[in-house]
Amino acid sequence: MKPNKISVFEYSRLKTGCEYNGVAFTPALLESLERFHTSSKTRYFNLIHNGVEFCEYVGVIQVDGIQIEVLPKLDSNSGDVNAWRDLLIGMLREVGMFRVSAPSSSLLTLRSNSILELYFDLFITEVEYLIHTGLVKQYRRQTLNQTSLKGSLDFPRHLSQNLIHKERFLTNTSVYDQDHVWHRIISQTINLIRLLSQNTQIHNHIGALELNFPEVSVQRISEKTFNKLVYTRKTEGYRTAIEIARLLLLGFHPDLSAGSNQVLALMFDMNMLWESFIYHSLRKQFLINSAPYSVKAQHSTDFWATGSCRRYLRPDIVVDSPDDGRRFVLDTKWKDVAGAGPSPSDLQQLFAYSQFFRSARNALVYPGRKSSVQSGCYAISTEWADSVSCSLIQLGVGSNIQQWQESIFQAVIEWMEAVW
């Protein structure tokens, strides 16, 4: 049975008493979202009267067995749910959110109609691949109170615990097996998918995984657990599965006060996703086309300092031309500016970038219904450039990711190499 799903766009509203995609938005569902909103550090939506209003985050929230899918949207006229879902999945793939190390899998050929189920499919594929290639063993310390002396005797604790039982020995031993933190993370993720998914095919694959996956100890998994992981030659193959497990486990919020209600939030900031997508697209196309440019993301420089307090300028994308020393600064904004133009704060921000990075050409990069470039200059000259420009680059949103990336490259290259 497929889970009930509500598909909406960013900045949309859900109100109680209304139906969306045939699913009723009930007061009980609103109450669960309100509790999640109160306990969550990140505000994926805002509370309004008898409802919620989504903001710049896109992705999926599953609560009370209902998936609320939030998709990006450019304007009021671009409301094709399937097209925008494919676009979002394509963007996530390009920025590395859907990396797959398994060479092939029948699951990956499926066209999932749910972002959440696609993550489930990818995780299952990765774990199946790990089982097929062989699960890693590691040494771990184990304390046992046994009747034979095997390992090193923990003498102080042995005296306190076995004062009466003279036949026992409290020992510390090293065990070489598959019960370690990597497999404990995977095991808990398998249990989470079984709990949340209502897809029969996914449940069948989960059942097969459990038959072939070893029994491991239960460990409390937190963000610190993932931060302490160190990948080696043996565990590098676990990276994709662990990254997906991190998204799922840290995005899961058990609602203890309500008992059975559970919330899983897999949400992405659309502004950050747009920035990362533009960077990866340019980097990829520069390599494919052997363009004589280098591109950097989040390249920072000192801006202000007093004592131990320092502030930095960090533009989204910096493109350098090693041949002639030219520099271009791009600042990405996911918003529709058709007919409105850039905000004064965005223009002021680009001017500050131009001064500190000595970039004569700068641009604000927006999505658009079609690609276009508007060139403009600041009403000031600098000692190192006759004029400093700030252009508006609108990149037409395409349905095919590969063609879209090629058009992004062409638009940016034409802007950088134009004579004006």
Side-chain angles (χ1 to χ4, degrees):
M1 182 182 68
K2 293 184 179 180
N4 294 326
K5 183 171 64 177
I6 298 174
S7 295
V8 297
F9 292 98
E10 53 181 336
Y11 300 105
S12 297
R13 294 184 174 188
L14 297 179
K15 303 277 288 187
T16 56
C18 299
E19 284 194 0
Y20 305 88
N21 310 121
V23 180
F25 189 73
T26 62
L29 182 58
L30 174 60
E31 185 179 350
S32 297
L33 289 173
E34 288 174 342
R35 285 196 296 269
F36 170 65
H37 182 272
T38 302
S39 61
S40 176
K41 295 180 181 179
T42 306
R43 296 292 184 254
Y44 299 123
F45 52 85
N46 298 315
L47 299 179
I48 59 175
H49 180 64
N50 290 333
V52 297
E53 181 180 33
F54 294 97
C55 46
E56 70 273 13
Y57 285 90
V58 297
V60 61
I61 298 176
Q62 179 161 314
V63 56
D64 296 352
I66 295 177
Q67 289 184 20
I68 302 176
E69 184 180 53
V70 186
L71 302 173
K73 186 179 180 181
L74 184 58
D75 55 44
S76 58
N77 298 320
S78 54
D80 187 342
V81 171
N82 294 325
W84 280 103
R85 182 186 298 117
D86 292 343
L87 189 74
L88 176 58
I89 291 175
M91 293 177 71
L92 290 172
R93 285 184 188 277
E94 287 301 318
V95 302
M97 299 305 295
F98 284 142
R99 284 192 295 269
V100 183
S101 60
S104 64
S105 172
S106 59
L107 277 176
L108 298 184
T109 63
L110 296 177
R111 188 179 180 85
S112 177
N113 64 348
S114 167
I115 297 172
L116 186 58
E117 287 182 4
L118 183 55
Y119 268 102
F120 291 167
D121 290 345
L122 291 172
F123 177 80
I124 293 170
T125 299
E126 288 297 316
V127 178
E128 287 177 343
Y129 178 63
L130 291 175
I131 293 174
H132 178 72
T133 55
L135 297 175
V136 171
K137 291 184 178 181
Q138 289 185 346
Y139 284 101
R140 62 183 175 90
R141 298 292 293 174
Q142 181 176 248
T143 301
L144 296 174
N145 199 9
Q146 51 192 355
T147 56
S148 58
L149 182 57
K150 295 180 181 179
S152 60
L153 184 66
D154 190 344
F155 197 71
R157 294 174 62 194
H158 167 72
L159 291 179
S160 62
Q161 294 190 24
N162 295 327
L163 186 62
I164 298 177
H165 297 281
K166 307 288 186 181
E167 76 284 359
R168 294 187 175 276
F169 301 91
L170 189 69
T171 60
N172 294 320
T173 59
S174 294
V175 182
Y176 187 65
D177 61 9
Q178 296 173 335
D179 186 4
H180 47 74
V181 64
W182 306 90
H183 291 162
R184 292 168 194 161
I185 292 173
I186 291 175
S187 177
Q188 291 195 28
T189 308
I190 291 174
N191 294 333
L192 176 62
I193 293 175
R194 191 198 318 108
L195 173 67
L196 295 178
S197 177
Q198 300 179 32
N199 186 301
T200 304
Q201 185 181 14
I202 290 178
H203 273 273
N204 292 338
H205 282 278
I206 287 293
L209 280 184
E210 291 177 327
L211 290 176
N212 297 289
F213 201 77
E215 292 187 10
V216 295
S217 306
V218 177
Q219 177 180 341
R220 184 180 180 275
I221 306 298
S222 64
E223 189 170 0
K224 291 183 179 179
T225 308
F226 291 100
N227 293 337
K228 290 181 180 179
L229 294 177
V230 178
Y231 290 93
T232 63
R233 179 178 59 84
K234 288 186 176 181
T235 58
E236 183 60 34
Y238 284 70
R239 185 180 294 273
T240 302
I242 295 299
E243 288 177 353
I244 298 175
R246 180 173 188 154
L247 284 172
L248 296 177
L249 293 177
L250 298 186
F252 179 63
H253 303 265
D255 193 347
L256 302 178
S257 63
S260 61
N261 292 338
Q262 314 283 355
V263 178
L264 174 65
L266 206 62
M267 302 289 281
F268 308 93
D269 188 326
M270 196 60 207
N271 287 300
M272 296 180 64
L273 179 58
W274 174 243
E275 172 194 329
S276 186
F277 177 70
I278 295 298
Y279 165 71
H280 282 86
S281 298
L282 291 177
R283 183 183 177 188
K284 179 180 179 180
Q285 292 299 318
F286 283 164
L287 291 174
I288 292 175
N289 295 277
S290 300
Y293 299 101
S294 63
V295 58
K296 298 177 182 178
Q298 295 290 324
H299 182 61
S300 62
T301 187
D302 290 335
F303 179 59
W304 176 86
T306 174
S308 60
C309 182
R310 305 179 71 86
R311 293 295 181 264
Y312 303 90
L313 279 180
R314 187 176 289 111
D316 295 337
I317 299 172
V318 176
V319 180
D320 287 309
S321 175
D323 294 341
D324 54 20
R326 291 183 301 160
R327 172 167 286 179
F328 310 87
V329 171
L330 304 176
D331 198 53
T332 60
K333 307 288 182 182
W334 178 261
K335 58 184 177 181
D336 183 18
V337 294
S343 67
S345 60
D346 290 343
L347 293 172
Q348 292 161 7
Q349 184 180 29
L350 260 292
F351 182 74
Y353 290 157
S354 71
Q355 299 307 296
F356 279 81
F357 286 86
R358 292 190 172 271
S359 55
R361 290 196 181 183
N362 313 273
L364 293 165
V365 181
Y366 302 102
R369 285 178 285 275
K370 61 180 182 179
S371 296
S372 65
V373 176
Q374 292 178 279
S375 300
C377 292
Y378 292 103
I380 188 173
S381 298
T382 65
E383 60 182 10
W384 52 271
D386 293 336
S387 62
V388 178
S389 70
C390 180
S391 302
L392 309 181
I393 301 178
Q394 285 188 278
L395 301 174
V397 177
S399 57
N400 182 285
I401 289 294
Q402 183 176 354
Q403 293 177 357
W404 191 18
Q405 290 182 309
E406 292 172 355
S407 67
I408 289 172
F409 166 74
Q410 290 297 332
V412 173
I413 282 290
E414 290 175 4
W415 166 74
M416 290 193 302
E417 298 181 350
V419 178
W420 41 271

